[in-house]
Every structure is written in C-alpha cells, then in structure tokens.
Amino acid sequence: MVNYSTSEENYLKAIYRLNGAEATVSTNDLAQELQTKPASVTDMMKKLKAKKLLHYQPYQGFRLTAEGTKVALGIIRRHRLWEFFLAEKLRFTWDEVHEVAEDLEHVCNKKLIDRLDEYLGFPRVDPHGDPIPDMNGKMEVSKKICLSDLPLNSTAQVISVSDHSSDILELLEHMHIHIGTRLEVRKRFSFDDSMEIKAGRQAAFTISRQLSETIFVHFV
Amino acid sequence: MVNYSTSEENYLKAIYRLNGAEATVSTNDLAQELQTKPASVTDMMKKLKAKKLLHYQPYQGFRLTAEGTKVALGIIRRHRLWEFFLAEKLRFTWDEVHEVAEDLEHVCNKKLIDRLDEYLGFPRVDPHGDPIPDMNGKMEVSKKICLSDLPLNSTAQVISVSDHSSDILELLEHMHIHIGTRLEVRKRFSFDDSMEIKAGRQAAFTISRQLSETIFVHFV
DNA sequence: AAAATAATTTAGACAAATCTAAATCATTAT
DNA sequence: ATAATGATTTAGATTTGTCTAAATTATTTT
Ligand SMILES: [Mn+2]
Ligand SMILES: [Mn+2]
Ligand SMILES: [Mn+2]
Ligand SMILES: [Mn+2]
C-alpha cells in the first residue's frame, strides 16, 4: 500500500469525476476542475503516469489505470464516510460537510476508515445521496433519472442532488424535499420548462427547470 | 485566524512539549524531538519568529510567545480529542491512537473540533490520561506525582502514563492497571528500586523502577 | 587565556508543487 | 493545403521544507 500526496489524491479524484462523462480527460478540463493551470496538470500527469496510476501519451488526454481507479475510489470512500459522520453525528448541515471532508479525506489509514464505516453502520450513501464505496472499493451505481426527464404521473423517490451548495439546500428545505422524498410530476410548462410536482403529502407546487435538473430520482 | 502548515504545527507542538522542562528550548533538542537536523530547525525558527509565534535570538534558544502557545494548545486539543474519539468510539487501543491522531490533528476547522468535543461529552483527559484543552485553550494541569515518589501506605489514583507504547500497554493490561486505578505502595527495595504495590482488589505485587517512573498518580 | 569541543547558523543544494511565458502540436476554416 | 486558432507541453522561475558541509559562536578544559 503506497501513500500518495494530498495533491496527487486531488488530481486522481478529479480525473475520476470527469472520467464519468468522457472516456478520456483533457488537460484543460482538469485544470479548470482543479482551479489550476494546464502546465501544472501536465507536470502532474507525467508523475502519475510514472506511478502507473494513469494512461497518458502527450497530447492524447488521459484516463485512470485499474490501480488509479482503485486509489480514487478509496479517496471517495473516505470523503463520503466523513461527510456522513459530520452530518449524522456532528449535526453539520448538508452544505457544510463537503469542505471539511476535503481535508479529512487525505488522512489515509485503512483501520481508521474501516472502523469509522462500521461505527456509522455501513452507510450506503452520503448526505447528498451519492453512493459510498465499500471496503473493497465496490460502489453500487444505481441508475438514476434526472427529475427533469421523469415521465408524468409516475411516482419516484429522490436519491441524490448534484449541487451541494447552501443555496439549493435552503430551497429544498423550504420545499420539504430531502433524500428519500417521494414525488411525482403533474405537469410541464414549455414556456420556462418549469414543472408542477406533488411531493409527500404536500399540495402540488411548481419548481424551476434549474432545480429539476439538479434532482435525481429513481422509480419506487 | 491564520492557518499554519503541518510542518509549522509540528514544530510548535514539539516546542510546547519541551518547554515544560526548561524555560528555553535548544536547537539540538528540538531537532532530536522532531527527528530532523539542527539546520532545518534554525530555518523554521526564523520563519516562526517572523510570524511572531516565538521569541528567538540566534544562539540563545527559543520559547513560544503567547500567540505561539495558543496555537500549540489548539493542536494539542485536536490531537487529544481525536485520540479520545478513536479509543472511545472506534475501539482503538491505547497504543494505536497516537499515530492516527498525528494526522487528524492537522485538520484545522474550529466548528469540527468544537462539535466533536460536544459529541464526545467534553472529555477532560485523553486515553493516556493527559488533559484536553477546552475551546478557549484552557488546560487544567493537575499536580501529579510520579508513582516512584509516592510515600508508603498512602492511597493514590493513576491519572496518566507517560509512555504510550504497546509494550507498556501490554504490561499494564496484564497487571489490571488503568487510568483511574487506585493503588498504594507497600514497600520499596533498594536493590533494584522495584516496589511492592497493592492495586484495586488484587493481591500485592511488585513492579520495576522503569514502570513506576512511567506512571503518574494523585492522592484521592 | 588559549585551545579544544560542542552547539548553532549559514551557504548552497534538492524535491515537490506550483506559476508565467514561449514553443510545439492538433484541429478547423478557408 | 495552408493559415489561423486552440490545446498542450516545455523551459525556466518561485516557494516550502528539507538536507549536507562549512563557517561561526558559545562553552569547557587545560
Ligand atoms: Mn463532497
Ligand atoms: Mn457528498
Ligand atoms: Mn498522542
Ligand atoms: Mn495522548
């Protein structure tokens, strides 16, 4: 078990995140994701390639090797377990957990994380509804539908929210929408792509396109 | 609230620890404590002096300023709270907590630490019996006596152990001696400075000079 | 009070992680 | 097919934290 620097870990995690969309990640995209400069990315890519954590030929973009993916999933596991801990045990709100977990995730000690996992009761998802990899690096990726794409009159359950800001949290709390809330789409308005939904036992209300595109659901 | 690097924090903590014995800390002592070279210490002392965290004139040794002491106590607070968490909540043994806490202590977020403190029930001492500074940096230093100096036939209670290794833990567990155990000294043997003690409800037994010098007690 | 010894600092170097500016490669439009 | 544009890499510099070896200062012995 090799240990990686905080910087290396942040690069690996970012590549993993971007990898979802496309098969190969570009220098500029990664620089933007990490709020750094392309030249810094190239330097780090050489280093990570030398450590066999990614496939990389100059000018060709890059993608994680199997080992790189394993390391990235380990970081994501730590991050999300700490987020769960902060929300569940220390009463942090949804929008506060990420920043702290960004630091805690770099404390790399298998026993610490596995014991924390056990202590928390082996949670499957973090406070934002994102899945937590298990101690073998397995992460169950449930197929989720964007609320904006949900067919009319079918009942679904909120499983995650892709924006983690306090702004969206404020709005969701106001609307009593949480991870697990059941809802259905009653009507779509083509004027502004807003939709009327019915959530829980509340009266129907409308939500903006911006919000419906941020909420992910699955059928119940 | 300024933030300090992991390296700066480790220096401050080490100076605080050494400061207990003498009024001023020397370059060589600090280098030895931190397993580094005297030249590296000098470099860092210049930096910490520039940040007004310590008093330092070349060749004259150094000591923490009030601000430096405050920062050091903050680090010690984080370290010991995490040690308590690991022992109490994650079932780590006494000898395992320090190493992990060495990393966790550098995650510096006041809300995290104050909430952790609250979650743990505001513990006063860490698993080794060392006091935990409160959120204002106050640390109650109870006057402790080394077991080797305890008068004959006076009852005392174990409050801390200055060695944190698994070797001493093994021995103490075997003897059923823990933080809080009541004991009294029955006899001293000048041949090897061993002593016979009576602990709890056990039959009297002897302990080595090495062990008695590591255990600290107070009168009950 | 010198000389010897020990402690400390300085000088110069290195690795990691970053940056800016220049050079190079790839892609797109004419 | 060439020129223009955009993406990427290289070159060279900077900061932080460390090191070794040499120089300096302090302390101890004779
Ligand atoms: Mn997060
Ligand atoms: Mn999350
Ligand atoms: Mn400790
Ligand atoms: Mn301790």
Side-chain angles (χ1 to χ4, degrees), chain A residues 13 17 76 79-80 83 94 97-102 105 126-128 130 164:
Chain A
K13 194 165 53 118
R17 186 165 37 233
I76 290 167
H79 182 97
R80 293 183 178 166
E83 284 192 347
W94 201 28
V97 297
H98 179 79
E99 187 192 339
V100 186
E102 281 295 299
E105 74 186 9
D126 79 7
H128 312 103
D130 295 313
H164 301 170

Side-chain angles (χ1 to χ4, degrees), chain B residues 79-112:
Chain B
H79 182 97
R80 293 183 179 167
L81 280 174
W82 282 118
E83 285 192 346
F84 186 92
F85 170 77
L86 294 169
E88 196 72 12
K89 303 292 189 183
L90 302 194
R91 305 175 2 253
F92 274 66
T93 54
W94 201 30
D95 54 317
E96 296 172 321
V97 298
H98 179 79
E99 187 191 341
V100 186
E102 282 295 298
D103 288 336
L104 287 168
E105 73 186 8
H106 300 296
V107 176
C108 183
N109 181 298
K110 182 151 174 57
K111 191 168 195 170
L112 166 66

Side-chain angles (χ1 to χ4, degrees), chain B residues 29-162:
Chain B
D29 287 355
L30 189 49
Q32 182 168 30
E33 177 78 14
L34 288 166
Q35 300 281 66
T36 183
K37 305 294 163 185
S40 308
V41 172
T42 299
D43 287 345
M44 184 58 89
M45 293 308 97
K46 287 180 190 163
K47 197 173 154 191
L48 294 180
K49 181 188 177 162
K51 294 191 178 190
K52 298 184 189 301
L53 296 169
L54 50 79
H55 301 290
Y56 165 58
Q57 290 304 115
Y59 299 101
Q60 300 304 126
F62 26 79
R63 59 175 222 282
L64 297 175
T65 60
E67 178 63 20
T69 303
K70 206 177 104 186
V71 175
L73 283 167
I75 304 161
I76 290 167
R77 169 169 164 78
R78 300 197 292 269
H79 182 97
R80 293 183 179 167
L81 280 174
W82 282 118
E83 285 192 346
F84 186 92
F85 170 77
L86 294 169
E88 196 72 12
K89 303 292 189 183
L90 302 194
R91 305 175 2 253
F92 274 66
T93 54
W94 201 30
D95 54 317
E96 296 172 321
V97 298
H98 179 79
E99 187 191 341
V100 186
E102 282 295 298
D103 288 336
L104 287 168
E105 73 186 8
H106 300 296
V107 176
C108 183
N109 181 298
K110 182 151 174 57
K111 191 168 195 170
L112 166 66
I113 296 305
D114 291 346
R115 284 283 176 84
L116 179 66
D117 194 12
E118 180 190 352
Y119 177 63
L120 298 174
F122 302 105
R124 310 274 281 285
V125 297
D126 80 5
H128 311 103
D130 295 314
I132 300 175
D134 71 16
M135 57 198 274
N136 304 310
K138 279 257 159 26
M139 181 167 70
E140 51 179 81
V141 187
S142 57
K143 53 176 182 293
K144 54 192 185 182
I145 307 155
C146 190
L147 178 53
S148 56
D149 298 330
L150 187 70
L152 286 183
N153 300 317
S154 53
T155 302
Q157 194 170 20
V158 176
I159 52 173
S160 70
V161 178
S162 62

Side-chain angles (χ1 to χ4, degrees), chain A residues 38-174:
Chain A
S40 308
V41 171
T42 300
D43 286 346
M44 184 58 89
M45 293 308 96
K46 287 180 189 163
K47 200 174 150 190
L48 294 180
K49 181 188 177 163
K51 295 191 179 192
K52 297 186 191 301
L53 296 169
L54 50 78
H55 301 290
Y56 166 58
Q57 291 302 117
Y59 300 101
Q60 302 303 126
F62 26 80
R63 59 175 223 282
L64 297 175
T65 60
E67 178 62 19
T69 303
K70 205 177 105 186
V71 175
L73 282 167
I75 303 160
I76 290 167
R77 169 170 164 78
R78 301 198 291 269
H79 182 97
R80 293 183 178 166
L81 280 174
W82 281 119
E83 284 192 347
F84 186 92
F85 170 77
L86 294 169
E88 196 71 13
K89 304 291 189 184
L90 302 194
R91 306 176 1 255
F92 274 66
T93 53
W94 201 28
D95 53 317
E96 295 171 322
V97 297
H98 179 79
E99 187 192 339
V100 186
E102 281 295 299
D103 288 335
L104 287 167
E105 74 186 9
H106 301 295
V107 176
C108 183
N109 181 298
K110 184 152 172 57
K111 191 168 194 170
L112 166 66
I113 297 305
D114 290 346
R115 284 283 175 86
L116 179 65
D117 194 12
E118 179 189 353
Y119 178 62
L120 297 174
F122 303 106
R124 309 276 280 284
V125 297
D126 79 7
H128 312 103
D130 295 313
I132 300 174
D134 70 17
M135 58 197 276
N136 303 310
K138 279 257 160 28
M139 179 167 71
E140 51 179 78
V141 187
S142 59
K143 54 174 180 295
K144 55 192 183 183
I145 306 156
C146 189
L147 178 54
S148 58
D149 298 330
L150 187 68
L152 287 182
N153 301 316
S154 52
T155 303
Q157 195 169 18
V158 175
I159 53 172
S160 70
V161 179
S162 61
D163 181 323
H164 301 170
S165 71
S166 56
D167 289 341
I168 195 173
L169 175 60
E170 181 193 19
L171 181 55
L172 290 173
E173 299 244 291
H174 184 73

Side-chain angles (χ1 to χ4, degrees), chain A residues 198-210:
Chain A
K198 176 123 178 47
R201 273 147 196 74
Q202 304 172 71
F205 55 92
T206 62
I207 64 172
S208 68
R209 185 180 64 84
Q210 217 175 333

